[in-house]
């Protein structure tokens, strides 16, 4: 009689083991780069930046009749914290400390001045002008002087960055910085400074043309 022999399990090929080991090593290195858990690893895998952007395209041109009469420089420290209910900050939550610096221009729109807003006497020695009130432009954040001081993220947020197209995005703090700068500009007296500078500019210009008396007022 013959005794049936059981088939021994097939051995895993060596190349499969090597491939699996390589995949594990690459995964660990990738996670170390993204989570910064391996000191000095970023120095080993140096990166290069290449600008392959296409040429800028002109979309439109418009005439500007604004007289930019004053400009203010502002700086604000934004402290933005996002928490999740029932979860500690170490698990889910972010806090970003961001310094935002930017400028706001104040202008007078001379394009709104109509014929009825300018009065000149017969011998052209006196002129009266009524201009619209000065207004504030949109704050322009300066990327060279704006930066994140610190970023604190929970474990889930760090893991989410591994699969995010825009990890550690600063759009939220940048929008807050722009809003706070705009609020500061409204309380800074920048529009009053713009009206004063516009008055001085027009008086100097008209007096150089022979006008002896130049009165400028502002209204809606």
């Amino acid at each position: 009689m013959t005794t049936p022999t059981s088939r021994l399990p097939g051995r895993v090929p060596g190349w499969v083991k090597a491939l699996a080991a390589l995949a594990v090593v690459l995964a660990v290195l990738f996670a170390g780069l993204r989570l910064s858990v391996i000191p000095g690893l970023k120095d080993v895998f140096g990166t290069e930046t290449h600008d392959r952007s296409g040429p800028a395209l002109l979309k439109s041109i418009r005439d500007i009749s604004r007289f930019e009469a004053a400009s203010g420089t502002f700086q604000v420290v934004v402290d933005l914290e996002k928490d999740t209910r029932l979860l500690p900050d170490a698990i889910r939550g972010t806090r970003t400390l961001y310094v935002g610096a930017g400028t706001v221009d104040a202008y007078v729109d001379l394009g709104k001045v109509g014929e009825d807003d300018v009065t000149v006497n017969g011998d052209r020695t006196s002129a009266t002008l009524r201009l619209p009130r000065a207004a504030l432009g949109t704050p322009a954040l300066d990327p060279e002087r704006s930066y994140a001081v610190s970023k604190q993220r929970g474990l889930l947020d760090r893991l989410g960055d591994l699969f995010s197209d825009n990890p550690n995005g600063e759009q939220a703090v940048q929008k807050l910085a722009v809003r706070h700068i705009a609020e500061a500009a409204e309380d800074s007296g920048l529009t009053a400074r713009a009206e004063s500078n516009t008055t001085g500019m027009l008086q100097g210009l008209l007096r150089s043309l022979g006008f002896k008396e130049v009165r400028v007022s502002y209204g809606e």
Side-chain angles (χ1 to χ4, degrees):
M1 294 179 62
T2 59
T3 303
T5 58
S6 59
R7 179 177 295 180
L8 296 176
R11 298 182 60 184
V12 178
W15 67 270
V16 175
K17 294 181 179 180
L19 184 61
L22 179 61
V24 172
V25 171
L26 291 177
V28 172
L29 292 177
F30 178 74
L33 286 172
R34 298 300 298 271
L35 299 178
S36 299
V37 297
I38 303 179
L41 193 57
K42 290 184 178 181
D43 296 334
V44 177
F45 297 91
T47 60
E48 295 182 357
T49 302
H50 302 279
D51 185 2
R52 295 189 173 90
S53 306
L57 301 178
L58 176 63
K59 303 296 291 185
S60 63
I61 296 178
R62 60 188 180 91
D63 296 331
I64 297 178
S65 57
R66 297 176 177 179
F67 174 64
E68 304 288 345
S71 180
T73 301
F74 301 86
Q75 186 178 73
V76 61
V77 178
V78 177
D79 188 350
L80 179 62
E81 183 175 4
K82 294 183 179 180
D83 297 325
T84 302
R85 292 182 180 179
L86 305 180
L87 288 178
D89 294 342
I91 300 298
R92 184 64 186 271
T94 61
R95 183 176 181 180
T96 304
L97 194 64
Y98 181 83
V99 175
T103 58
V104 179
D105 295 331
Y107 65 89
V108 175
D109 192 352
L110 300 179
K112 294 182 178 181
V113 179
E115 295 181 359
D116 297 336
D117 296 322
V118 179
T119 304
V120 178
N121 65 349
D123 56 0
R124 298 182 60 84
T125 59
S126 176
T128 301
L129 296 87
R130 180 176 177 82
L131 308 180
R133 306 294 311 201
L136 295 174
T138 302
L141 207 60
D142 186 352
E144 297 294 333
R145 298 187 294 115
S146 302
Y147 55 92
V149 177
S150 65
K151 299 179 183 178
Q152 300 175 8
R153 294 170 293 151
L155 177 61
L156 295 180
D157 297 281
R158 286 178 175 270
L159 292 176
D161 288 344
L162 292 174
F163 307 98
S164 174
D165 293 334
N166 185 26
N168 306 331
E170 297 178 350
Q171 293 183 355
V173 289
Q174 289 175 350
K175 289 181 178 179
L176 273 178
V178 168
R179 190 181 76 183
H180 291 316
I181 289 176
E183 293 171 350
E186 292 177 357
D187 299 331
S188 66
L190 198 58
T191 53
R193 181 70 171 269
E195 292 178 358
S196 176
N197 291 342
T198 302
T199 299
M201 182 274 296
L202 291 174
Q203 288 178 340
L205 175 62
L206 294 178
R207 283 171 181 166
S208 67
L209 297 176
F211 289 89
K212 297 180 179 179
E213 184 179 3
V214 179
R215 293 185 295 271
V216 181
S217 62
Y218 296 87
E220 299 298 336

